[in-house]
Amino acid sequence: MVKKIYERPIIRPLNSGMMNKFGTRTEYLPVTHIDGVSVKSLIAQYGSPLFVFSERQMRENLRNAKRTFENRYPKVQFAWSYKTNYLNAICNVFHQEGSWAEVVSRFEYDKALHNGVPGDKILFNGPDKTDDDLRIAIKNNSPIHIDHLDELYRLTEIASEMNAKPRVAIRVNMDTGIYPMWDRFGFNYETGQAWDAINKILASGKLELVGLHTHIGTYMLTPSAYGVAAAKMADLALGIKNKFDTKIQYIDMGGGFASENTLKGSYLKGSDIVPSISDYAEVICTALLNAGFKNNDLPALFLETGRALIDNAGFLLGSVIANKRLSDGRKATILDFGVNILFTSFWYDHKISPAQEFGMHTEDTVLYGPLCMNIDVIRENITLPPLNAGDHVVVHHAGAYTVTQSMQFITLRPAIVMIDPKGETHVIKNNETLKDLEHNEKMPAYLQKFKLT
Ligand SMILES: *Cc1c(COP(=O)(O)O)cnc(C)c1O
């Protein structure tokens, strides 16, 4: 017989509307292992909090997405969205699976080069490319995705100076029926801006128009919006073929497929409502195949999928610091990680599981981080069993935008490990030290000494 676990008693007021005398049952089972490695041992070895990535899950996500699109379309190329997670080890897993790189800044561009991605396989997006950035991209033969007319004119001048013909695409924004519309990046389709930019490029003959790019939004729950977008992109490509007898090499549909995270305020869980990759693939591929391209004019389909490929491969492990009662009677639990490293908790209700066995009692709980600021709330309300100081929790779907958007505030950022498909763990980033942090600080000589009385 298994020994029953001790659970400290709790007293709480009865509320109307409870499903039974114990309240709503927690929907989650304990998560004691990730890819066969125990959460306790990971924390014992690498500390708490700790980011953990599953290499197996990442490879599976990409292979599944590739297969899904390639089943429906003859020429598909994924490019890893660096800003979603640009830890070099993470990028290289996707590069090993055949992904190119998609970058939105010079910093990311240099990272991709250092990782060994050939220049012509780095798609250079973003509104802020300096003259120097453009020169480097031209030298490396990278497709430059032009964001605005000022960039187009600058690039044209630089190309003339360098006596080069850069490979370019334009970023197109459009009405896909999703509001608010993302119209701050690129050239608008409906107003004719995009067509004007295309005409300028092709008439000047100084740039080689190789593609068309769009990125209609992020965490898009409506696949049909991609059908609208793909049809409008195809319309531009066919217009180019018609007027200039020029074949566009690729249509880049950007990223934005939703991960299974749950948006705050959503009535249903993300895992219940998020479309699958095949839902997106079906509308995109159908729209392109039906658009009227002659068979050998069919452009390649580029995808810059970010969050949908990494979110479920990332976990954040943490520990309970303490419990307390708020003045209104609610239970609060303080964890050792806050919004500094789980920035995404501002817009997601992250799924969080206890990492040890628990009984049937649960309680509505507020989860706070350890930061000394009021906005440090991980979950405003979650049904959890009583957790004791020292217990561990696992945050799910913590792979996208957590590491890249983390901020350093009053504490040092934790280590990051990857579990390989054999179940071996590898540190892919050490925990920050005070030395790392102060590395670039300078102390003027006259401030070096002081005396306190
Ligand atoms: C952020 C971004 C992506 C990735 O978006 P996800 O929503 O994470 O899939 C792709 N392309 C561009 C241009 C981006 O800015």
Side-chain angles (χ1 to χ4, degrees):
M1 204 182 101
V2 185
K3 192 169 165 257
K4 289 223 172 108
I5 304 155
Y6 169 76
E7 208 171 69
R8 68 179 165 75
I10 50 171
I11 299 170
R12 74 194 150 107
L14 281 176
N15 295 317
S16 61
M18 283 299 197
M19 294 165 89
N20 59 47
K21 68 179 179 171
F22 299 121
T24 51
R25 181 159 166 67
T26 178
E27 58 202 297
Y28 310 130
L29 297 168
V31 171
T32 57
H33 289 72
I34 295 170
D35 281 3
V37 184
S38 106
V39 169
K40 304 263 170 215
S41 72
L42 284 165
I43 286 180
Q45 191 171 356
Y46 302 104
S48 175
L50 178 72
F51 277 106
V52 177
F53 283 88
S54 161
E55 182 184 335
R56 180 197 54 76
Q57 187 67 59
M58 289 165 57
R59 290 187 189 271
E60 193 179 304
N61 290 346
L62 186 70
R63 285 176 193 172
N64 174 50
K66 261 172 90 168
R67 191 175 54 242
T68 304
F69 274 91
E70 283 168 356
N71 282 344
R72 293 167 171 80
Y73 199 80
K75 248 176 104 184
V76 178
Q77 179 62 55
F78 278 83
W80 175 239
S81 156
Y82 265 48
K83 79 171 189 293
T84 309
N85 189 320
Y86 45 56
L87 287 165
N88 292 335
I90 300 274
C91 297
N92 278 10
V93 170
F94 289 120
H95 296 323
Q96 281 189 350
E97 293 288 333
S99 286
W100 294 10
E102 182 276 323
V103 305
V104 291
S105 69
R106 174 64 181 275
F107 156 76
E108 290 189 349
Y109 186 88
D110 289 346
K111 243 176 172 310
L113 278 182
H114 286 156
N115 282 336
V117 182
D120 65 346
K121 295 181 171 52
I122 305 176
L123 309 176
F124 200 171
N125 283 313
D128 173 28
K129 306 182 198 84
T130 65
D131 289 359
D132 187 49
D133 300 347
L134 292 173
R135 284 194 188 96
I136 296 286
I138 293 170
K139 269 200 199 114
N140 289 317
N141 208 21
S142 303
I144 300 169
H145 290 182
I146 302 170
D147 184 76
H148 43 72
L149 276 181
D150 288 329
E151 183 175 77
L152 170 57
Y153 299 146
R154 255 191 315 125
L155 182 61
T156 309
E157 271 177 38
I158 293 169
S160 300
E161 266 169 41
M162 291 175 66
N163 216 1
K165 195 166 180 186
R167 296 165 67 227
V168 302
I170 59 161
R171 175 156 177 173
V172 181
N173 70 61
M174 61 187 76
D175 185 350
T176 60
I178 303 292
Y179 309 102
M181 212 169 106
W182 274 28
D183 60 1
R184 60 174 281 187
F185 302 110
F187 302 89
N188 184 254
Y189 173 85
E190 285 80 19
T191 60
Q193 276 178 356
W195 185 240
D196 287 348
I198 288 167
N199 276 281
K200 281 184 169 132
I201 292 170
L202 287 164
S204 88
K206 288 182 174 155
L207 310 172
E208 186 191 354
L209 186 68
V210 290
L212 295 169
H213 171 250
T214 190
H215 174 61
I216 59 174
T218 192
Y219 196 90
M220 302 289 288
L221 290 170
T222 317
S224 61
Y226 283 93
V228 175
K232 290 181 175 177
M233 298 290 272
D235 176 59
L236 290 174
L238 288 165
I240 292 165
K241 175 74 186 160
N242 245 342
K243 179 166 173 185
F244 297 96
D245 200 25
T246 294
K247 210 170 96 181
I248 287 295
Q249 291 170 21
Y250 64 85
I251 286 180
D252 181 343
M253 293 301 297
F257 303 158
S259 68
E260 287 186 349
N261 242 315
T262 304
L263 279 183
K264 272 188 200 256
S266 171
Y267 181 68
L268 293 168
K269 277 189 292 179
S271 52
D272 294 337
I273 54 168
V274 162
S276 67
I277 294 282
S278 58
D279 295 330
Y280 297 108
E282 192 62 34
V283 288
I284 291 173
C285 300
T286 304
L288 293 181
L289 290 170
N290 293 355
F293 290 104
K294 294 217 180 74
N295 211 20
N296 28 4
D297 288 351
L298 208 58
L301 168 58
F302 283 15
L303 295 150
E304 303 169 346
T305 312
R307 70 176 74 242
L309 296 181
I310 187 76
D311 219 11
N312 67 348
F315 302 84
L316 177 59
L317 316 186
S319 307
V320 174
I321 295 172
N323 290 297
K324 56 164 69 172
R325 268 301 143 194
L326 301 177
S327 59
D328 63 5
R330 279 180 306 156
K331 186 186 158 201
T333 293
I334 307 168
L335 300 166
D336 66 353
F337 58 87
V339 293
N340 55 331
I341 55 170
L342 198 67
F343 201 75
T344 48
S345 46
F346 284 131
W347 57 86
Y348 286 144
D349 279 340
H350 275 283
K351 173 179 167 180
I352 298 177
S353 311
Q356 50 282 308
E357 294 296 331
F358 52 84
M360 67 187 302
H361 293 276
T362 59
E363 195 172 2
D364 288 348
T365 308
V366 195
L367 292 182
Y368 290 126
L371 309 179
C372 254
M373 57 180 190
N374 207 38
I375 58 165
D376 189 25
V377 183
I378 295 296
R379 285 287 301 264
E380 270 119 33
N381 185 24
I382 182 170
T383 306
L384 281 178
L387 295 169
N388 296 311
D391 279 354
H392 301 307
V393 296
V394 177
V395 181
H396 301 259
H397 300 114
Y401 299 101
T402 44
V403 175
T404 45
Q405 291 190 312
S406 72
M407 55 182 165
Q408 194 277 311
F409 178 68
I410 73 163
T411 178
L412 299 162
R413 280 173 284 197
I416 304 176
V417 300
M418 187 185 277
I419 303 176
D420 74 18
K422 292 191 201 110
E424 308 263 315
T425 53
H426 309 265
V427 175
I428 58 170
K429 187 172 186 195
N430 280 322
N431 55 303
E432 268 173 356
T433 63
L434 187 57
K435 206 166 155 219
D436 295 332
L437 217 64
E438 294 183 337
H439 180 69
N440 283 318
E441 285 196 35
K442 300 254 187 261
M443 181 68 75
Y446 73 99
L447 291 178
Q448 272 167 9
K449 289 211 178 94
F450 55 81
K451 206 184 235 164
L452 299 177
T453 52

